[in-house]
Amino acid sequence: MEQLTGVIESYLPGWKVAKNEARVLLVTSSRLYASGLQLLLNQQSERHNSDFRMAVTEPEEILRLSEDGTLAHYLHAGNYGVVLLGTVQTNYELTLQLSHFLSTSWQTGPVLWLDMPDDRQKILGCIRAGAKGFVLETESHDDFCIALLRAIQGKAVCSDKALTYLFERLAFSETLTIAEIPALSGKFELTRRELEVLEALSAGRSNREIAGLLSIELRTVKNHVHNILGKLQVSKREDAVLLAHRHNLISRPYR
């Protein structure tokens, strides 16, 4: 607790700025989980003389309000600064649905996922569903408090590890064409998916491993590899990787 207090005190200016808007809505079906977070927030509110309050509702209530068309009114009437989704108590698909309903009905405030699995595809799904951030299940109470303050202040909340992955994905979010790669002008044109396969080849992954990584069929991977070799005008996977690194097509260091 002393360590936690030290972290909060280091962020005290932000805490004071946010205190007038520091109303939190926690969506969870676990009373024990809600009680633990409520106790944590109560301790900090009393210590710093702030007005930090948390309301709790169940996932089923959010679904009902969404179906009734009254979710937006409910959220605005509560004057919440942030909505927290407890992902441990609900399955991933339901959490995605809840996040989508909340973010579309309440565009003025952030939705923050708690206890997020350290899973790349689920993290991407979380972001696509409209969440403004998440706290990984492996992170501490200190991390949660810092994340909550950042969310209330309108800042994105993301772990360093996940941020690195998102940058990697962003690099391949669009198709790279000849015009975008002057060094290869007039020679090659690789699609976004082919670049992802090429990146995986550079990491030494087999076709079967690539299929699992990208969630595609094995025969589809083989087709991509065949097309890559043809476009790069080489006969071996190793030569394709080497050529790709020479022209800065992929980021992974060549070994």
Side-chain angles (χ1 to χ4, degrees):
M1 182 56 67
E2 291 181 359
Q3 181 183 5
L4 174 60
T5 300
V7 171
I8 292 298
E9 287 177 342
S10 68
Y11 279 78
L12 188 55
W15 184 278
K16 288 184 176 179
V17 169
K19 71 176 183 179
N20 293 330
E21 304 173 6
R23 290 182 56 81
V24 176
L25 175 64
L26 173 64
V27 182
T28 180
S29 57
S30 171
R31 293 184 180 180
L32 182 62
Y33 187 85
S35 298
L37 289 183
Q38 184 70 73
L39 177 62
L40 178 62
L41 294 181
N42 287 346
Q43 289 174 339
Q44 298 310 316
S45 295
E46 293 174 2
R47 181 177 179 83
H48 301 300
N49 192 30
S50 60
D51 185 20
F52 206 100
R53 301 179 182 179
M54 185 177 76
V56 181
T57 190
E58 296 189 356
E60 292 74 16
E61 179 66 8
I62 297 298
L63 294 177
R64 184 189 67 78
L65 291 170
S66 178
E67 292 174 355
D68 293 345
T70 58
L71 181 56
H73 174 75
Y74 172 81
L75 293 169
H76 287 288
N79 192 30
Y80 299 114
V82 63
V83 173
L84 305 177
L85 283 179
T87 61
V88 170
Q89 294 77 32
T90 56
N91 62 59
Y92 177 69
E93 289 73 20
L94 176 57
T95 308
L96 282 176
Q97 187 178 18
L98 292 170
S99 183
H100 173 72
F101 288 151
L102 289 165
S103 60
T104 54
S105 299
W106 185 57
Q107 300 178 0
T108 58
V111 176
L112 185 65
W113 288 36
L114 302 182
D115 299 310
M116 183 72 178
D118 191 1
D119 181 291
R120 292 185 172 188
Q121 295 304 318
K122 289 186 176 182
I123 288 173
L124 286 176
C126 156
I127 295 172
R128 292 192 185 104
K132 293 299 187 291
F134 53 86
V135 179
L136 294 176
E137 61 186 359
T138 55
E139 295 183 288
S140 66
H141 290 167
D142 297 2
D143 297 320
F144 163 72
C145 289
I146 294 172
L148 184 56
L149 290 174
R150 289 181 59 86
I152 291 173
Q153 294 166 356
K155 300 177 182 179
V157 178
C158 180
S159 69
D160 291 340
K161 182 178 181 180
L163 187 61
T164 300
Y165 170 63
L166 293 175
F167 269 100
E168 292 175 355
R169 291 288 301 188
L170 182 61
F172 300 104
S173 62
E174 301 293 339
T175 298
L176 297 180
T177 64
I178 298 172
E180 295 173 296
I181 310 174
L184 298 180
S185 180
K187 291 185 179 182
F188 315 121
E189 184 177 272
L190 298 176
T191 66
R192 174 188 59 81
R193 180 62 83 188
E194 288 168 348
L195 285 169
E196 290 177 335
V197 172
L198 192 53
E199 184 87 16
L201 290 176
S202 177
R205 296 183 184 275
S206 66
N207 287 351
R208 190 172 299 279
E209 289 174 331
I210 296 173
L213 179 67
L214 301 180
S215 300
I216 57 180
E217 297 292 333
L218 179 59
R219 64 174 180 272
T220 303
V221 176
K222 293 179 179 179
N223 288 336
H224 284 314
V225 172
H226 175 77
N227 292 337
I228 290 170
L229 296 181
K231 290 182 179 182
L232 298 183
Q233 300 176 22
V234 295
S235 59
K236 297 180 180 179
R237 298 154 65 108
E238 295 80 4
D239 293 336
V241 171
L242 178 59
L243 182 62
H245 279 289
R246 285 177 178 173
H247 293 284
N248 297 318
L249 283 176
I250 50 183
S251 59
R252 186 180 297 277
Y254 180 69
R255 296 178 181 177

